[in-house]
Amino acid sequence: MENKRRFALVGTGNRGTTMWGKDLLAGWRGQVDLVAIADTNALRAERARTMIATNAPIYGNVDTMLAEARPDLVIVCTPDSTHDDIVVRALEAGADVITEKPMSTTVEKIRRILDAEKRTGRRVDVSFNYRFAPTAARIKELLNSGEIGRITSVDFHWYLDTRHGADYFRRWHAYTERSGSLFVHKATHHFDLLNWYLDSDPDAVTAFADLQMYGRKGPFRGPRCKLCPHKNECDFYLDLEADPFLEALYEDPSEIDGYFRDGCVFREDIDIPDTMVANIHYRNNVHVSYSLNTFQPIEGHHIAFNGTKGRIELRQYEDQPWEMPEEDVILLIRNFPKGRPGVERIAVQHSPGGHYGGDDRLRNMLFKPDAKDSLGQRAGARAGAMSVLCGVAALQSSRTGKLVRLADLMPELFEDEFCSLSRSAAQISASAGRQ
Ligand SMILES: NC(=O)c1ccc[n+]([C@@H]2O[C@H](COP(=O)([O-])OP(=O)(O)OC[C@H]3O[C@@H](n4cnc5c(N)ncnc54)[C@H](O)[C@@H]3O)[C@@H](O)[C@H]2O)c1
């Protein structure tokens, strides 16, 4: 088909191989053609190519790939601190970009991406799939309806269980330099959800954070799970052989670059916190109380919006040691019912698939020709930047004990030129004179 987007996949770890490789081609083959794969680890790229079932050529160097394959879209799925370099090169080669979250990890890096987007006139989309979860979309509709009046505060608490939470401590995510810490790597989703729900920008953050379970807090440590003398006593032991997909993608390729999928979660040099709380003030005077915990017996989140006329509340289940409800229930609770129900229980079918069903819907939005964006779910570079900036501010506050104003870190993001732009990517690119 003529209008297929010729895309290159950069980074063939789990995320690149599944979400933007195998699954994208399985569901959107009519819209996209995979024309190149790039990864610094040639063996992982080869394994990924087999899993994706493609003949696309493999490159070890992004510049060579851009020059030879000339993709019109580059999808970036490498570790977070490498995104900026690849995004900027792709934009400068004339391609649009979809980058995995977080858009990047530092103020300098997000500035580079924003500057390059402006300079090249190309477009950056950020993969904020949680905006596309059915419960998130329903909450956004309820907030837009004005049912609970003006929002005054939000309670938002995210729980990672001992399997998923520990996974961030096995690999590069466990180093601030590579992930920006979980205030950036993971909370970028959550800060973005808040920015989108509230249709406003955070302007000040105070935070506390600490390492309480992993890293140097662990009782013992080993080189990696596979070779660990403590494997029988360690609650976090990961048996890679029990997961043939992960083993194929990471184990043999680790011989090339020493990147082990089953690194010890108790490594002494881990420098990110595992327990984080933040208070965030928004420009529209909403106060947010946020937390992120990484070793829970449950996986999911609680969120509640407190308004002048009532409250919207959700307990979103993902995994817990009791039966999963088939439906998620949003509670709409009125302060002054005046003949209307005091509480409405709004059932939303629990959606299968990654990220509460958000992954498929995000791909539809980006690739289906007739996709409508009535809720402004599609996220551009400004949204990517704002949620990273909030995470950078939270980490800084937790380390200095001081309140951090976001405009002090990156004044230009709060200047009129940026503020007058809608957060929707469609409007951002329209204002830059693009399609
Ligand atoms: N949107 C989501 O919900 C979601 C979910 C999971 C992961 N992610 C994001 O996806 C990205 C990848 O995550 P992952 O778990 O697959 O990581 P990974 O470490 O498993 O894979 C990254 C791959 O990038 C390659 N790589 C590293 N530096 C490179 C470079 N400079 N050029 C080319 N290749 C390079 C590595 O060899 C590896 O194959 C991360 O940014 C992560 O935050 C997003």
Side-chain angles (χ1 to χ4, degrees):
M1 197 202 282
E2 271 174 41
N3 293 329
K4 277 192 185 183
R5 304 207 71 189
R6 303 177 64 260
F7 83 99
L9 179 63
V10 184
T12 56
N14 189 358
R15 190 68 179 161
T17 300
T18 56
M19 168 81 181
W20 299 111
K22 193 156 62 78
D23 299 348
L24 179 57
L25 288 184
W28 289 264
R29 204 175 272 279
Q31 284 76 40
V32 295
D33 249 344
L34 177 55
V35 297
I37 291 175
D39 199 295
T40 44
N41 187 314
L43 184 52
R44 186 170 307 107
E46 247 174 59
R47 295 272 163 99
R49 179 161 68 175
T50 307
M51 290 167 174
I52 297 170
T54 171
N55 295 321
I58 290 173
Y59 294 87
N61 179 289
V62 172
D63 288 330
T64 314
M65 180 277 288
L66 290 168
E68 290 182 10
R70 306 201 67 75
D72 51 49
L73 173 67
V74 174
I75 304 185
V76 181
C77 305
T78 55
D80 307 345
S81 62
T82 64
H83 290 176
D84 63 314
D85 219 38
I86 299 164
V87 171
V88 170
R89 280 162 201 263
L91 293 172
E92 284 176 344
D96 291 327
V97 170
I98 297 171
T99 177
E100 263 304 345
K101 49 55 55 175
M103 190 168 87
S104 199
T105 49
T106 66
V107 169
E108 293 70 28
K109 285 168 181 281
I110 53 182
R111 186 174 280 141
R112 275 190 79 198
I113 293 176
L114 290 168
D115 288 349
E117 193 194 41
K118 199 169 165 189
R119 186 170 68 244
T120 59
R122 305 313 307 175
R123 170 180 188 146
V124 176
D125 276 287
V126 183
S127 171
F128 284 134
N129 37 11
Y130 278 112
R131 289 188 182 196
F132 292 83
T135 41
R138 191 70 189 96
I139 285 175
K140 181 70 176 167
E141 284 169 1
L142 288 168
L143 291 170
N144 286 352
S145 75
E147 273 282 359
I148 64 165
R150 181 174 55 77
I151 309 302
T152 54
S153 67
V154 182
D155 318 323
F156 191 11
H157 305 290
W158 201 282
Y159 309 105
L160 298 170
D161 66 16
T162 47
R163 184 193 56 80
H164 187 188
D167 230 27
Y168 295 111
F169 294 83
R170 300 188 194 287
R171 310 185 273 154
W172 50 264
H173 314 72
Y175 303 104
T176 305
E177 199 188 341
R178 307 215 50 206
S179 70
S181 85
L182 295 182
F183 264 140
V184 172
H185 172 82
K186 189 68 189 165
T188 189
H189 274 305
H190 314 148
F191 296 150
D192 175 68
L193 276 174
L194 286 165
N195 302 346
W196 173 65
Y197 281 139
L198 298 174
D199 198 18
S200 184
D201 298 327
D203 62 6
V205 180
T206 61
F208 292 95
D210 199 1
L211 188 66
Q212 311 234 10
M213 168 68 82
Y214 303 108
R216 62 188 180 278
K217 293 297 170 69
F220 42 68
R221 50 204 46 83
R224 54 178 296 212
C225 290
K226 188 175 177 178
L227 306 175
C228 189
H230 303 285
K231 60 172 78 162
N232 293 329
E233 54 187 313
C234 183
D235 291 329
F236 295 102
Y237 170 64
L238 175 69
D239 180 6
L240 261 191
E241 285 178 21
D243 188 330
F245 170 81
L246 281 189
E247 209 201 10
L249 201 54
Y250 293 93
E251 186 55 18
D252 294 340
S254 71
E255 285 170 17
I256 292 182
D257 54 13
Y259 172 26
F260 302 116
R261 185 63 185 75
D262 62 348
C264 179
V265 299
F266 297 138
R267 294 187 309 288
E268 294 270 4
D269 62 349
I270 286 176
D271 72 350
I272 62 164
D274 57 21
T275 304
M276 291 143 275
V277 300
N279 287 322
I280 310 166
H281 182 264
Y282 272 76
R283 297 174 106 192
N284 62 355
N285 210 23
V286 176
H287 306 271
V288 174
S289 159
Y290 168 81
S291 70
L292 175 59
N293 284 284
T294 58
F295 46 92
Q296 298 296 300
I298 57 169
E299 174 99 4
H301 72 270
H302 277 147
I303 191 160
F305 296 85
N306 305 300
T308 49
K309 295 185 189 166
R311 175 176 160 96
I312 293 167
E313 182 173 318
L314 169 71
R315 162 71 168 98
Q316 176 92 60
Y317 294 94
E318 201 159 355
D319 216 352
Q320 65 282 319
W322 60 88
E323 208 175 318
M324 175 97 83
E326 283 185 7
E327 293 175 332
D328 296 308
V329 177
I330 298 169
L331 298 180
L332 169 60
I333 314 163
R334 297 188 170 89
N335 282 352
F336 312 107
K338 294 188 181 150
R340 301 174 74 192
V343 58
E344 278 181 47
R345 291 183 169 76
I346 299 164
V348 180
Q349 190 65 34
H350 192 83
S351 209
H355 303 90
Y356 311 139
D359 285 350
D360 279 348
R361 290 170 175 81
L362 168 64
R363 281 180 295 231
N364 275 342
M365 177 66 79
L366 293 173
F367 295 113
K368 291 282 179 195
D370 52 352
K372 302 233 169 5
D373 192 12
S374 54
L375 293 175
Q377 284 163 299
R378 192 168 177 177
R382 184 182 189 275
M386 191 54 85
S387 67
V388 170
L389 194 61
C390 191
V392 168
L395 185 68
Q396 184 172 315
S397 172
S398 72
R399 288 183 172 170
T400 60
K402 297 198 168 112
L403 179 143
V404 178
R405 293 190 189 283
L406 274 70
D408 290 343
L409 298 180
M410 200 169 171
E412 69 267 34
L413 211 50
F414 295 83
E415 281 164 7
D416 280 354
E417 184 199 6
F418 270 119
C419 291
S420 61
L421 296 178
S422 152
R423 267 162 287 280
S424 114
Q427 282 165 289
I428 288 175
S429 67
S431 75
R434 290 169 254 151
Q435 282 198 337

